[in-house]
Amino acid sequence: MNKGLFDLSKKIISYDTVSNKENVSCSEYIADYLDGFGFKVDLYRDHMFGDDKAQIVASIGPANGGNGIILSGHLDIVPFENQPGWVRDPLVLTLEDDKLFGRGTSDMKVFITQALVALKKINLQKLKSQLVFILTCDEEICCQGAKRLVPILKEGLSERPLPSQALVGEPTDFKVFHAHKGIGVFHLITTGVAGHSSRPDRGTNAITDMTKIINVIDKVNDELISEKKNLDHDLYPQWPYCSINIGRIFGGVADNMIPERCEIQVSVRSTLQNNADTIIARIKEEIGKLNLKGLVSWEGLLTAPALRSSDQTEAFKFLSSYYNQSQVVGAPYVTDAGHFSDLGIDSYICGPGSLSQAHMPNESIQLSHFESGVDMIQALIEKMCL
C-alpha cells in the first residue's frame, strides 16, 4: 500500500467536517499542503449554517486560455452521530481485509487525498497549462458552498481565467458521467388552531390541511412522470423523469388534541429542461388553489442545477478511454458541477468508491479503488497540463 496516501487520507478523514460544523482547520491544512508545492492558494471564508467555513481555490502553471484541468471535491461529510450501525470510529481510517473504513472514504475525501498525492509524481515546473484545485464546503447541503463561491470566481475570470474542463471525483466506481439531475429541497408548514378534539369546531386541524397539500404534491408528481415532453431517456434510461419525494413529516401532540402545526420536508429531482424552480412554482400554484382553513408557509428552500457537459472534450474522451467506457449517460444525483456550468466549465463526474457506500454506516472504499485512483489523476493531469 502507498503509505503516504494512507497517512494523508487518515489525517484528512480525522477532521470532523460534517456540514453543520466548521471546516476551517481542514481547509487550512490542505491549503498549507498545496502552498508547499508552489500553488497560489486562496481561502474563501464565510459563516454559514452556524459555523465558520473555508473553501479552497488553488492554481499552478500558466493560464493558457481555457486549457488545463480543474480537480474538484467537497470537504464536508454527512452526519454520523446517532446513525445506527457504526461499529468503528468514523473519524479513524481503518484497514480491514480489502477495504478501508471511515466517514468520507467514498464520499469523498479519498479522491481529494489521491489528487494531492498525485502531485508528488508530476514535475509541476514543466506545466504548460493551468492545474486548479476547487475544494468546496456545504455540498451536502444542496451544493450551497459552490453556489456561494461561483459568483466570486466569475468576477475574477478576466484576471484569473480558469480551465474550461473539470474532474469532480464523486464516488462512481470510476464510471464517467457528463451530466446529472438537479435538486430542490424545501419545508412546508401548515399552522392551524389547537383545541380539544371533542370540539373540532373550535380549532383548525393543521394535519388535515397538510393532507390536502400532500395530495396536490402527489398529483404534480404523477403528472411529471406521465408527461412525455422534457424526458431525458438517453441520459437517464432507468428513470428519465423529474420526480418529487416527501421525505419526512411531523405533526400533532396527542390523539385527543387538534394539531396546531404540521411540517413536511420535500425534495425535487429535476432536469435541464424542467428545472427545480419551475417544478416548485408549479407546486405553489396548485397549493394556492386549495381551500385551506389554516395558514401555509415555506421554509428552507434550496436548489442546485442539473448538469450537461459536452461529451466531445479532451477530458471526457481521455477518461472514457482510460476506463474503456462507451456508454454516455447521466448520474441521477446532484454535484457541485451544476454550478460550475455558470463559469463555462464542462465537468465530468468520476471517482473512487461506490455510491452505495456514501452516507452509510461503516462507509468504506475498496482497497483497489484506494490505490488506483492516484494513477488515473496523474495521467489526467499529464494529458491536460503537460
Side-chain angles (χ1 to χ4, degrees):
M1 182 193 294
N2 185 325
K3 186 176 185 302
L5 176 62
F6 181 88
D7 291 345
L8 187 57
S9 297
K10 185 175 182 178
K11 176 66 176 178
I12 292 176
I13 283 173
S14 73
Y15 287 101
D16 186 354
T17 55
V18 171
S19 302
N20 63 354
K21 300 179 181 179
E22 68 88 17
N23 81 326
V24 175
S25 54
C26 182
S27 294
E28 289 179 340
Y29 177 82
I30 295 174
D32 288 343
Y33 184 98
L34 289 167
D35 181 73
F37 281 90
F39 279 78
K40 180 185 182 298
V41 183
D42 289 323
L43 277 176
Y44 294 91
R45 302 173 186 265
D46 58 10
H47 188 90
M48 291 296 295
F49 305 109
D51 227 316
D52 293 326
K53 305 296 176 73
Q55 305 190 83
I56 299 171
V57 180
S59 63
I60 193 169
N64 181 11
N67 296 322
I69 192 68
I70 297 168
L71 303 177
S72 183
H74 60 86
L75 294 170
D76 59 318
I77 54 176
V78 293
F80 51 83
E81 293 178 3
N82 302 318
Q83 184 183 29
W86 280 98
V87 297
R88 301 168 181 86
D89 187 331
L91 299 180
V92 176
L93 183 65
T94 305
L95 173 62
E96 295 181 17
D97 297 325
D98 62 346
K99 294 181 180 179
L100 292 108
F101 294 85
R103 178 62 92 210
T105 47
S106 274
D107 190 16
M108 57 176 294
K109 288 182 174 179
V110 161
F111 167 79
I112 294 170
T113 307
Q114 289 173 339
L116 296 174
V117 169
L119 299 177
K120 297 180 178 180
K121 305 176 73 173
I122 297 168
N123 188 340
L124 298 174
Q125 303 305 314
K126 293 186 176 181
L127 294 180
K128 296 181 180 179
S129 298
Q130 194 175 195
L131 171 61
V132 176
F133 278 74
I134 298 179
L135 305 179
T136 66
C137 65
D138 299 338
E139 192 272 351
E140 300 292 2
I141 307 178
C142 213
C143 304
Q144 294 303 291
K147 186 175 184 178
R148 301 194 302 272
L149 182 62
V150 162
I152 299 172
L153 297 180
K154 187 180 290 187
E155 288 182 4
L157 283 180
S158 58
E159 297 179 2
R160 184 180 183 177
L162 292 170
S164 62
Q165 298 169 64
L167 170 64
V168 181
E170 294 279 0
T172 68
D173 289 308
F174 291 124
K175 295 182 176 67
V176 186
F177 299 107
H178 74 304
H180 64 60
K181 290 189 176 182
I183 193 172
V185 298
F186 58 90
H187 300 185
L188 271 174
I189 299 166
T190 51
T191 304
V193 178
H196 197 286
S197 63
S198 66
R199 289 298 304 270
D201 56 311
R202 293 182 176 178
T204 301
N205 192 312
I207 292 178
T208 299
D209 277 353
M210 188 60 79
T211 58
K212 297 177 182 178
I213 290 174
I214 290 173
N215 286 335
V216 161
I217 292 174
D218 281 344
K219 173 177 172 289
V220 174
N221 191 42
D222 289 342
E223 290 171 353
L224 290 171
I225 294 172
S226 65
E227 290 171 354
K228 302 302 180 185
K229 63 178 181 179
N230 298 332
L231 298 186
D232 284 326
H233 286 285
D234 293 336
L235 283 182
Y236 311 107
Q238 294 179 322
W239 188 257
Y241 316 100
C242 298
S243 57
I244 310 169
N245 181 65
I246 300 171
R248 302 186 75 185
I249 185 167
F250 315 87
V253 177
D255 59 6
N256 60 353
M257 299 170 65
I258 298 171
E260 183 179 15
R261 188 180 188 278
C262 187
E263 175 182 348
I264 59 173
Q265 297 178 0
V266 186
S267 64
V268 171
R269 299 287 173 170
S270 59
T271 62
L272 281 175
Q273 296 88 347
N274 199 3
N275 65 42
D277 291 327
T278 300
I279 296 170
I280 292 169
R282 183 171 172 179
I283 295 170
K284 285 183 176 180
E285 181 181 1
E286 292 299 320
I287 291 175
K289 298 175 184 178
L290 294 174
N291 182 25
L292 301 177
K293 295 182 179 180
L295 301 175
V296 60
S297 58
W298 297 67
E299 292 184 0
L301 176 60
L302 302 171
T303 61
L307 168 76
R308 183 159 190 172
S309 296
S310 170
D311 59 0
Q312 298 300 312
T313 64
E314 190 175 13
F316 183 77
K317 290 179 179 179
F318 171 82
L319 290 167
S320 298
S321 175
Y322 191 92
Y323 288 113
N324 194 28
Q325 177 178 306
S326 58
Q327 187 179 26
V328 181
V329 295
Y333 46 80
V334 69
T335 76
D336 287 334
H339 289 301
F340 296 160
S341 295
D342 287 344
L343 299 171
I345 295 170
D346 284 309
S347 297
Y348 304 100
I349 320 303
C350 176
S354 172
L355 182 64
S356 64
Q357 283 297 312
H359 304 186
M360 296 294 289
N362 305 303
E363 180 181 341
S364 68
I365 186 171
Q366 292 286 338
L367 183 58
S368 59
H369 280 210
F370 182 78
E371 295 181 322
S372 66
V374 175
D375 293 336
M376 177 271 285
I377 295 169
Q378 177 189 355
L380 177 66
I381 294 172
E382 290 176 346
K383 174 68 175 177
M384 301 298 294
C385 300
L386 290 175

